[in-house]
Amino acid sequence: MMILLVALIGVVVALGMAFWPWPGRGPEPRHAAGRVPPPVPAPLPASLEGVLAAQLLSGDITGRQYVRALERIAARDERRHPMSVPRDYRP
């Protein structure tokens, strides 16, 4: 009797798994059949350095222009947030 009960539960579980509507397992929608999905746009850079790097990689600016722009950014940051160097305490 116990073997019959275990076998029956196994069959019910197997049938439930076979016919359960899992995501992505159903039929394809008609409008998407045979079509390539549209490309996902690249995320926009979050910083000025990221924008400059994207322009350099796409060929909009040259390497020299990139370096000059980064120098200007560094100079501007130095003016806005100067770093104070602590004194050297020697005994």
Side-chain angles (χ1 to χ4, degrees):
M1 181 67 176
M2 185 67 155
I3 294 175
L4 184 61
L5 182 63
V6 170
L8 183 62
I9 290 174
V11 168
V12 169
V13 168
L15 286 173
M17 297 274 297
F19 292 106
W20 190 263
W22 299 102
R25 195 172 120 185
E28 278 191 35
R30 265 199 240 161
H31 69 294
R35 287 190 182 173
V36 177
V40 178
L44 297 174
S47 65
L48 183 55
E49 290 87 356
V51 171
L52 287 171
Q55 288 177 348
L56 178 65
L57 291 175
S58 67
D60 293 340
I61 61 174
T62 64
R64 188 173 184 155
Q65 291 171 328
Y66 175 76
V67 170
R68 281 294 294 156
L70 285 182
E71 287 173 354
R72 283 190 225 121
I73 292 171
R76 184 188 69 194
D77 286 347
E78 179 65 28
R79 281 191 308 271
R80 287 183 182 175
H81 309 287
M83 229 173 97
S84 61
V85 179
R87 295 187 323 195
D88 188 18
Y89 291 106
R90 291 189 180 171

